[in-house]
Amino acid sequence: MTESTAAAPVRALPDFPRAFARTRRFSLGVPGHFTVSPDGERVLFVRTGSGTDPVGCLWLYEDGGERLLADPAGLGGPGDDALPEEERVRRERARVLSSGVVGYATDRGVRLAVFAVGGALWAVRTRGGAPWRIPTAGPVVDPRPSPDGSSVAYVTGGAVRVVAVDGGGDRALAEPESADVVYGLADHVSAESIGRTRGFWWSPAGDALLVARVDNTPVARWYLADPADPATPPRVLRYPAAGSANPGVTLHVLRLDGGRTVLRTPAAADAGGHPAGAWTDRRFEYVTAAGWDAHGPYAQLQTRDQRTAQWFGADPETGDVRPLHVLRDDAWVALTPGAPLRTGSGTTVVADVRDDVRGIRVGDAPSPPGLQVREVLGAADERVYFTASEEPTETHVWVYEGAGDPVDGGPDDAGASGPAADGVDGRTGTAFRRVSERPGVHTAAVGGRTVVLDSLTPDGRSVTVLRDGSPAGRIAVLADEPSVRPRAARLSLGARALRAHLHLPSWYDPASRERLPVLLSPYGGPGMQLAVCGHGWWSAVAQWFAEQGFAVLVADGRGTPGRGRAWEVAVRGDRLGPALEDQVDALHAAAERYPGLDLGRVAVRGWSYGGYLAIGAVLHRPDVFHAAVAGAAPTDRRLYDTHWEERFLGHPDVEPENYVRSSLLTEAHRLTRPLMLVHGLADDNVVAAHTLRLSAALLAAGRPHTVLPLPGVAHAVTREEVVSNHLRLELDFLTSSLGR
C-alpha cells in the first residue's frame, strides 16, 4: 500500500480566528495586577467584565468574595480616546491589550487606590464609597499615592507633580528644562528591554520622591509616519539604536518642601574588577532598578557593555552613595526581575550565579542547587517569595523563611500538600520551600500570610487565594475558552533535550500511513518560552493550525530562559545560527518519533524574534524549510535598541562581524522559497523599516515575495479585523505554498 497525504476533513469549524481576535488572545476576563494588603485581608486586581469585554475594571477580593470598586462606564469623563501620548507609549511597552482601568497604585495599607482613565485622575477607598475625580494640572500618567494616602504624585507633560487627594495644593516638584527632558517616566530602553517600567518612587515617610530624570538630547530622532494618512504629521520617536547614544538618566530626591538632591552615583565601574572583552565600556549608562525602602533610596546601575551591575544605597540628604553589591559576568549580567531587594529588617536579596545556575542569595543563604530563579516576587514579614524552575517547562512559587517561623508550604490550588523543604542550611535552620505544587507555570502576589497564586496549567488558568498555606478562595477567571482544545504531546528532542510541543489534528490517526505537512511555530529567542507545562493563547493557535491539517511543532532552543547561563549565552555573537540549528534538530528528532511528519513539506511561522527566525530558516536552510510567514521581524540588528542588541552582539563599530552574521539583509539573494512578510506600520518597537529594507533587498536580488503592510498597527496587534483576517491569510499562504 502506498503512503497517502492527509487532508483535513471537510467540516464546519467554529470561527476560531474571530474569537481569538475578539477576546484579545483570550486575555479578556483574566484577572491580573494583584496587590495584597500588608495584613493579608484585601486583594486588589484588574479584570474586564467578560471574555469579550475589553474594558478593565478595578476589583477587591475580601472576606471570600469579590466587589467592584471602579467601572469606567460609570465614571464619566474622558475615555481612552483622550489618552496622553506618554500613556499610549507606556501601554505599548507593557503590551496592554485592554482599555479602561489597566493599572493602579495604592497606599501602604491598601486602603486607597488611584488610577487614570483617559488622562483623568481617579481615587477610590477600599472600605467602600464611590470613586472620585481629583482635578489635575494636565493629563495624568502613572499616578501613585503617598504611603499614608494623603496625596498623589503623577506625571504630566514631562513634569512630576503632587496633589492632595481632595484636589488641593497641586504643585510641580520638577519640570522639564527643555523639550528633550522628562521627569518621572522610564525611557524607551528601560521599559522595553531592561524591564524597569517606573520613573519615580515615594519615600516611606511620604515627604519626598526619588525621581528619574531622562535627558533625550543625545538620542537619535526617528520619524514614524502613517502612509495611509499622508495628512497626519509623522510621530517623533527617540530611539537609541545599537551603537548610538543613550539618554542621560540621573536620579533626584525631590522633597515636598521644595528641596532637591541629586544622587552622586559613579560615572563608571571599577576598572580593576570589570571583566575585559572585545568591546569594553565601563560607563554606567543604565538604571536597571531603583526604589526607596525603609533603609533609604537605592539604585542598581549597569555598564554600557553590561558586564558589571552594581547596587548602591543613597543618603537622601547629601546624595552620597555607598556600594551594596556588585555582579559581574564575562558575557553579560542577566537581570533578575524584582532583585535587588531589602526586607524590612535589612536582609538583602540579590542575584547569585553559581556554575551554570541563575539563583539568588537571601542574606547569606543561597537558593537550592540547580534551581533556576526567574523572578523575586517580594517580601512579607521577612519571608521572601520568588519563582524558579527545576525543570525548564515548569515555573513554581518558592518561599524562603528563617528559623523558627513555619514556612508557607501548604496545599496549592489543587488542594494537594506541598513538597518537603529543600535547601535547608544546617547551621542556621533556614529553608527554601516550594509553595505551588501542580505542574504548570505559576506566579504570585503576597502580603501578610496571604499568597495569591496565579497559575497556568494544562487545565487552563486559575487564581487561588492561600491563607497560612491553605486555600481560602478563588478569584474568578472570566476568559472565554478557545473553540479548539490544545492537545499537545510534550517532548524532549535531540542531543540537547530541546523542550517541545507537537500538536496533531484531533482527527488524525498517528498509526495511519498518512503524511502531514509540518508547521514550525516558534518564538525561539531570549526572554520567552512557548513549550511550557500550560496552555496559553499560543497553544490554541498551534492547535487551530493543526486542525487545518498540519503537524505543528513548537520548540524552545538555545537562548530561551530557564535552562541556565550557558544555554542563554550560547547566542552571544550570533543571534540566528544556534537558534536555527535547534529548530532543525527538533524537527528531525520529532520526525523520527512520528513517521507521519512529511519532511518534504515544512513551513515556519513566527512574530518578532520568531519572525526573524522564520526568515532565517528559508534563507539559510531551504533544504529543510519550504515556506515561511514572518511578522514584525527585526531583520537588521543595527535597528534594534542598545541594551537588547549590544547584550548579544556587542558594539557594532567594534564587533561588526556579529551584526553581519546576524543580519538577514545580506542574505536576501539566497531566497528560493515562498515568503510572506507582515508588519504593522505604527510599530515603534520593531519599526517597519526592518521589513521594508528586507523587501527592497529581495527585490534588488530579483527574489519574489509577499508583503502585507498593516496601517495603524503597532507591535502588539489588537484590531479585531486585522488579527482574525491575518490568521486566515497565513493559512491560505502556507497551504498554497506547500501544495496542499
Side-chain angles (χ1 to χ4, degrees), residues 408-479:
D408 267 344
D412 71 350
D413 54 332
S417 297
D422 191 9
V424 175
D425 187 327
R427 298 167 299 169
T428 64
T430 57
F432 292 82
R433 192 182 296 256
R434 211 171 85 181
V435 176
S436 55
E437 172 63 13
R438 296 183 62 196
V441 178
H442 306 267
T443 187
V446 298
R449 306 296 298 189
T450 296
V451 175
V452 177
L453 190 64
D454 187 351
S455 303
L456 180 67
T457 71
D459 294 328
R461 193 71 171 268
S462 64
V463 178
T464 307
V465 179
L466 306 176
R467 293 255 168 81
D468 292 316
S470 299
R474 288 179 179 267
I475 293 175
V477 176
L478 306 180

Coordinates of all heavy atoms in Angstrom, one line a residue, residues 408-479:
D408 N 5.3 28.8 54.6 CA 4.0 28.6 53.8 C 4.2 27.6 52.7 O 4.5 27.9 51.6 CB 3.6 30.0 53.2 CG 2.6 30.7 54.1 OD1 2.1 30.1 55.0 OD2 2.5 31.9 53.8
G409 N 4.1 26.3 53.0 CA 4.3 25.3 52.0 C 3.1 24.4 51.9 O 3.2 23.3 51.6
G410 N 2.0 25.0 52.2 CA 0.7 24.2 52.3 C 0.2 23.9 50.9 O 0.9 24.1 49.9
P411 N -1.0 23.4 50.8 CA -1.6 23.0 49.6 C -1.8 24.1 48.6 O -2.0 25.2 49.0 CB -3.0 22.4 50.0 CG -3.3 23.0 51.3 CD -2.0 23.2 52.0
D412 N -1.7 23.7 47.3 CA -1.9 24.8 46.3 C -3.4 24.7 45.8 O -4.2 24.2 46.5 CB -0.9 24.6 45.2 CG -1.2 23.3 44.3 OD1 -2.1 22.5 44.8 OD2 -0.6 23.2 43.3
D413 N -3.6 25.2 44.6 CA -5.0 25.3 44.2 C -5.6 24.0 43.9 O -6.8 23.9 43.7 CB -5.0 26.2 42.9 CG -4.1 25.7 41.8 OD1 -3.1 25.1 42.1 OD2 -4.4 25.9 40.6
A414 N -4.9 22.9 43.9 CA -5.5 21.6 43.7 C -5.8 20.9 45.1 O -6.4 19.9 45.1 CB -4.5 20.7 42.9
G415 N -5.3 21.6 46.1 CA -5.6 21.1 47.5 C -4.6 20.0 47.9 O -4.7 19.4 48.9
A416 N -3.5 19.8 47.1 CA -2.5 18.8 47.5 C -1.5 19.4 48.4 O -1.3 20.6 48.4 CB -1.9 18.2 46.2
S417 N -0.8 18.6 49.2 CA 0.2 19.1 50.1 C 1.4 19.5 49.4 O 1.8 18.8 48.4 CB 0.5 18.0 51.2 OG -0.6 17.7 52.0
G418 N 2.1 20.5 49.9 CA 3.3 21.0 49.2 C 4.4 20.0 49.5 O 4.4 19.2 50.4
P419 N 5.5 20.1 48.7 CA 6.6 19.2 48.9 C 7.4 19.5 50.1 O 7.3 20.5 50.7 CB 7.4 19.4 47.6 CG 7.1 20.8 47.2 CD 5.7 21.0 47.6
A420 N 8.3 18.6 50.5 CA 9.1 18.8 51.6 C 10.1 19.9 51.4 O 10.4 20.3 50.3 CB 9.9 17.5 52.0
A421 N 10.7 20.5 52.5 CA 11.6 21.6 52.4 C 12.9 21.1 51.6 O 13.3 20.0 51.7 CB 12.0 22.1 53.8
D422 N 13.4 22.1 50.9 CA 14.6 21.8 50.1 C 15.6 22.9 50.5 O 15.2 24.1 50.8 CB 14.3 21.8 48.6 CG 15.5 21.3 47.8 OD1 16.5 20.8 48.5 OD2 15.5 21.4 46.6
G423 N 16.9 22.7 50.4 CA 17.9 23.7 50.6 C 18.0 24.1 52.0 O 18.3 25.3 52.3
V424 N 17.8 23.3 53.0 CA 17.9 23.6 54.4 C 19.4 23.8 54.8 O 20.2 23.0 54.5 CB 17.3 22.6 55.3 CG1 17.5 22.9 56.8 CG2 15.8 22.5 55.0
D425 N 19.7 24.9 55.5 CA 21.0 25.2 56.0 C 21.1 24.7 57.4 O 20.5 25.2 58.3 CB 21.3 26.7 55.9 CG 22.7 27.1 56.3 OD1 23.3 26.3 57.1 OD2 23.2 28.0 55.7
G426 N 21.9 23.6 57.6 CA 22.0 23.0 58.9 C 22.6 23.9 60.0 O 22.3 23.7 61.2
R427 N 23.3 24.9 59.6 CA 23.9 25.8 60.6 C 22.9 26.8 61.2 O 22.9 27.2 62.4 CB 25.1 26.6 60.0 CG 26.2 25.7 59.5 CD 27.2 26.5 58.7 NE 26.5 27.0 57.5 CZ 27.0 27.9 56.7 NH1 28.2 28.5 56.9 NH2 26.3 28.3 55.6
T428 N 22.0 27.3 60.3 CA 21.1 28.4 60.7 C 19.7 27.9 60.8 O 18.8 28.6 61.4 CB 21.1 29.5 59.7 OG1 20.7 29.1 58.4 CG2 22.6 30.1 59.6
G429 N 19.3 26.7 60.2 CA 18.0 26.3 60.2 C 17.1 26.9 59.2 O 15.9 26.8 59.2
T430 N 17.7 27.8 58.3 CA 16.9 28.4 57.3 C 16.5 27.5 56.2 O 17.2 26.5 56.0 CB 17.6 29.6 56.7 OG1 18.9 29.2 56.2 CG2 17.9 30.7 57.8
A431 N 15.5 27.8 55.5 CA 15.0 26.8 54.4 C 14.4 27.6 53.3 O 13.8 28.7 53.4 CB 14.0 25.9 55.1
F432 N 14.4 26.9 52.2 CA 13.7 27.3 51.0 C 12.6 26.2 50.7 O 12.9 25.0 50.8 CB 14.6 27.4 49.8 CG 15.6 28.6 49.8 CD1 16.7 28.4 50.5 CD2 15.3 29.7 49.2 CE1 17.7 29.5 50.6 CE2 16.2 30.8 49.2 CZ 17.4 30.6 49.9
R433 N 11.4 26.6 50.4 CA 10.4 25.6 50.2 C 9.4 26.0 49.0 O 9.2 27.2 48.8 CB 9.5 25.5 51.5 CG 8.6 24.3 51.5 CD 7.8 24.2 52.8 NE 8.7 24.0 53.9 CZ 8.8 22.8 54.5 NH1 8.1 21.8 54.1 NH2 9.6 22.7 55.6
R434 N 9.0 25.0 48.3 CA 8.1 25.3 47.2 C 6.6 25.5 47.7 O 6.2 24.7 48.5 CB 8.1 24.2 46.2 CG 7.9 24.6 44.8 CD 8.2 23.5 43.8 NE 7.0 22.7 43.6 CZ 7.0 21.6 42.8 NH1 8.1 21.3 42.2 NH2 5.9 20.9 42.7
V435 N 6.0 26.5 47.2 CA 4.6 26.8 47.6 C 3.6 26.1 46.6 O 2.6 25.5 47.0 CB 4.3 28.3 47.6 CG1 2.9 28.6 47.9 CG2 5.2 29.0 48.7
S436 N 3.8 26.3 45.3 CA 2.9 25.7 44.3 C 3.3 24.3 44.1 O 4.5 23.9 44.2 CB 3.0 26.5 43.0 OG 4.3 26.6 42.5
E437 N 2.3 23.4 43.7 CA 2.6 22.0 43.6 C 2.2 21.5 42.2 O 3.0 20.7 41.6 CB 1.8 21.2 44.6 CG 1.8 19.7 44.5 CD 3.2 19.1 44.6 OE1 4.1 19.8 45.1 OE2 3.3 17.9 44.3
R438 N 1.1 21.9 41.7 CA 0.6 21.3 40.4 C 1.6 21.7 39.3 O 2.1 22.8 39.2 CB -0.8 21.8 40.1 CG -1.8 21.3 41.0 CD -3.2 21.8 40.6 NE -3.5 21.2 39.3 CZ -4.5 21.7 38.5 NH1 -5.2 22.8 38.9 NH2 -4.8 21.1 37.3
P439 N 1.9 20.7 38.4 CA 2.7 21.1 37.2 C 2.1 22.2 36.4 O 0.9 22.3 36.2 CB 2.7 19.8 36.4 CG 2.3 18.7 37.3 CD 1.4 19.3 38.3
G440 N 2.9 23.2 36.1 CA 2.5 24.4 35.4 C 3.4 25.5 35.5 O 4.6 25.4 35.9
V441 N 2.9 26.7 35.2 CA 3.7 28.0 35.3 C 2.9 28.8 36.3 O 1.8 29.3 36.0 CB 3.8 28.6 33.9 CG1 4.5 30.0 34.0 CG2 4.5 27.7 32.9
H442 N 3.6 29.1 37.4 CA 2.9 29.8 38.5 C 3.7 31.1 38.8 O 4.9 31.2 38.7 CB 2.9 28.9 39.8 CG 2.3 27.6 39.6 ND1 1.0 27.3 39.8 CD2 2.8 26.4 39.2 CE1 0.7 26.1 39.6 NE2 1.8 25.5 39.2
T443 N 2.9 32.1 39.3 CA 3.5 33.3 39.9 C 2.6 33.7 41.0 O 1.6 33.0 41.3 CB 3.7 34.4 38.9 OG1 4.4 35.5 39.5 CG2 2.3 34.9 38.3
A444 N 2.9 34.8 41.7 CA 2.1 35.1 42.9 C 2.3 36.5 43.3 O 3.2 37.2 42.9 CB 2.5 34.2 44.1
A445 N 1.3 37.0 44.1 CA 1.4 38.3 44.8 C 1.3 37.9 46.3 O 0.5 37.0 46.7 CB 0.4 39.3 44.4
V446 N 2.0 38.7 47.2 CA 2.0 38.3 48.6 C 1.7 39.5 49.5 O 2.0 40.6 49.2 CB 3.3 37.6 49.0 CG1 3.5 36.3 48.2 CG2 4.5 38.5 48.8
G447 N 1.2 39.2 50.7 CA 1.0 40.2 51.7 C 0.6 39.5 53.0 O -0.3 38.7 53.0
G448 N 1.2 39.8 54.1 CA 0.9 39.1 55.4 C 1.1 37.6 55.2 O 2.1 37.2 54.7
R449 N 0.1 36.9 55.6 CA 0.1 35.4 55.5 C -0.7 35.0 54.3 O -1.1 33.8 54.1 CB -0.4 34.7 56.7 CG 0.2 35.2 58.0 CD 1.7 34.8 58.1 NE 1.9 33.3 58.0 CZ 3.1 32.7 58.2 NH1 4.2 33.5 58.5 NH2 3.2 31.4 58.1
T450 N -1.0 35.9 53.3 CA -1.8 35.6 52.2 C -0.9 35.5 50.9 O -0.1 36.4 50.7 CB -2.9 36.7 52.0 OG1 -3.8 36.6 53.1 CG2 -3.7 36.4 50.7
V451 N -1.1 34.5 50.1 CA -0.5 34.4 48.8 C -1.6 34.2 47.8 O -2.5 33.3 47.9 CB 0.4 33.1 48.8 CG1 1.0 32.9 47.4 CG2 1.5 33.2 49.8
V452 N -1.5 35.1 46.8 CA -2.4 34.9 45.6 C -1.7 34.2 44.5 O -0.8 34.8 43.9 CB -2.9 36.3 45.1 CG1 -3.8 36.2 43.9 CG2 -3.7 37.0 46.2
L453 N -2.0 33.0 44.3 CA -1.3 32.1 43.4 C -2.0 32.1 42.0 O -3.1 31.7 41.8 CB -1.3 30.7 43.9 CG -0.4 29.6 43.2 CD1 1.0 30.0 43.4 CD2 -0.7 28.3 43.8
D454 N -1.3 32.7 41.0 CA -1.7 32.8 39.7 C -1.1 31.7 38.8 O 0.1 31.7 38.6 CB -1.3 34.2 39.1 CG -1.9 34.5 37.8 OD1 -2.5 33.6 37.2 OD2 -1.8 35.7 37.3
S455 N -1.9 30.8 38.3 CA -1.4 29.5 37.8 C -1.9 29.3 36.3 O -3.1 29.5 36.0 CB -1.9 28.3 38.6 OG -1.5 28.5 40.0
L456 N -1.0 28.9 35.5 CA -1.3 28.4 34.1 C -0.9 27.0 34.1 O 0.3 26.6 34.2 CB -0.5 29.2 33.1 CG -0.8 28.8 31.6 CD1 -2.2 29.1 31.2 CD2 0.2 29.6 30.7
T457 N -1.8 26.1 33.9 CA -1.6 24.6 33.9 C -2.2 24.0 32.6 O -2.8 24.7 31.9 CB -2.2 24.0 35.1 OG1 -3.6 24.0 35.0 CG2 -1.8 24.7 36.4
P458 N -1.9 22.7 32.4 CA -2.6 22.1 31.2 C -4.1 22.2 31.3 O -4.7 22.0 30.2 CB -2.1 20.7 31.3 CG -0.8 20.8 32.0 CD -0.9 21.8 33.0
D459 N -4.7 22.4 32.4 CA -6.1 22.6 32.6 C -6.6 24.0 32.3 O -7.8 24.3 32.3 CB -6.6 22.1 33.9 CG -6.4 20.6 34.1 OD1 -6.5 19.9 33.1 OD2 -6.1 20.2 35.3
G460 N -5.7 25.0 32.2 CA -6.0 26.3 32.0 C -5.5 27.3 33.1 O -4.6 27.0 33.8
R461 N -6.2 28.4 33.2 CA -5.8 29.5 34.1 C -6.6 29.4 35.4 O -7.8 29.3 35.3 CB -5.9 30.8 33.4 CG -5.3 32.0 34.1 CD -3.8 32.0 34.0 NE -3.2 33.2 34.4 CZ -2.9 34.2 33.7 NH1 -3.2 34.2 32.4 NH2 -2.3 35.3 34.1
S462 N -6.0 29.6 36.5 CA -6.7 29.7 37.8 C -6.0 30.7 38.7 O -4.8 30.8 38.6 CB -6.9 28.3 38.4 OG -5.6 27.8 38.8
V463 N -6.7 31.3 39.6 CA -6.2 32.2 40.6 C -6.7 31.8 42.0 O -7.9 31.8 42.2 CB -6.5 33.7 40.4 CG1 -5.9 34.5 41.5 CG2 -6.0 34.1 39.0
T464 N -5.8 31.3 42.9 CA -6.2 30.8 44.2 C -5.6 31.7 45.3 O -4.5 32.1 45.2 CB -5.6 29.4 44.4 OG1 -6.1 28.6 43.2 CG2 -6.2 28.7 45.6
V465 N -6.5 32.0 46.3 CA -6.0 32.7 47.4 C -5.7 31.8 48.5 O -6.5 31.0 49.0 CB -7.1 33.7 47.9 CG1 -6.6 34.5 49.1 CG2 -7.5 34.7 46.8
L466 N -4.4 31.8 49.0 CA -4.0 30.9 50.1 C -3.8 31.8 51.3 O -3.2 32.9 51.3 CB -2.6 30.3 49.7 CG -2.5 29.5 48.4 CD1 -1.1 29.0 48.2 CD2 -3.5 28.3 48.5
R467 N -4.3 31.3 52.4 CA -4.1 31.9 53.7 C -3.4 30.9 54.7 O -3.9 29.8 54.9 CB -5.4 32.4 54.4 CG -6.1 33.5 53.6 CD -5.9 34.8 54.2 NE -6.3 35.9 53.4 CZ -7.6 36.3 53.1 NH1 -8.6 35.6 53.7 NH2 -7.9 37.3 52.3
D468 N -2.2 31.3 55.2 CA -1.4 30.4 56.0 C -1.2 29.0 55.3 O -1.2 28.0 56.0 CB -2.1 30.2 57.4 CG -2.1 31.5 58.2 OD1 -1.0 32.1 58.2 OD2 -3.1 31.8 58.8
G469 N -1.0 29.1 54.0 CA -0.7 27.9 53.3 C -1.9 27.1 52.8 O -1.8 26.1 52.1
S470 N -3.1 27.5 53.2 CA -4.3 26.7 52.9 C -5.2 27.5 51.9 O -5.3 28.7 52.1 CB -5.1 26.3 54.1 OG -4.4 25.5 55.0
P471 N -5.9 26.8 51.0 CA -6.8 27.6 50.1 C -7.9 28.3 50.9 O -8.6 27.6 51.7 CB -7.4 26.5 49.2 CG -6.4 25.4 49.2 CD -5.8 25.4 50.6
A472 N -8.1 29.6 50.6 CA -9.1 30.3 51.2 C -10.2 30.8 50.3 O -11.2 31.4 50.7 CB -8.5 31.5 52.0
G473 N -10.0 30.6 49.0 CA -10.9 31.1 48.0 C -10.3 31.2 46.6 O -9.1 30.9 46.5
R474 N -11.1 31.6 45.7 CA -10.6 31.8 44.3 C -11.0 33.1 43.8 O -12.1 33.6 44.2 CB -11.1 30.7 43.4 CG -10.5 29.3 43.6 CD -11.1 28.3 42.6 NE -10.5 27.0 42.8 CZ -9.4 26.5 42.0 NH1 -8.9 27.3 41.1 NH2 -9.0 25.3 42.2
I475 N -10.3 33.7 42.9 CA -10.7 34.9 42.1 C -11.0 34.4 40.7 O -10.3 33.7 40.1 CB -9.5 35.9 42.1 CG1 -9.3 36.5 43.5 CG2 -9.8 37.0 41.1 CD1 -8.1 37.4 43.6
A476 N -12.2 34.8 40.3 CA -12.8 34.2 39.1 C -12.0 34.6 37.8 O -11.6 35.8 37.7 CB -14.2 34.6 38.9
V477 N -11.8 33.6 37.0 CA -11.2 33.8 35.6 C -12.4 33.8 34.7 O -13.1 32.8 34.5 CB -10.2 32.8 35.3 CG1 -9.7 33.0 33.9 CG2 -9.0 32.8 36.3
L478 N -12.7 34.9 34.0 CA -13.9 35.0 33.1 C -13.5 34.9 31.7 O -14.4 35.2 30.8 CB -14.6 36.4 33.4 CG -14.9 36.7 34.8 CD1 -15.6 38.1 34.9 CD2 -15.8 35.6 35.4
A479 N -12.3 34.5 31.3 CA -11.9 34.4 29.9 C -12.7 33.3 29.2 O -13.1 32.3 29.8 CB -10.4 34.1 29.9

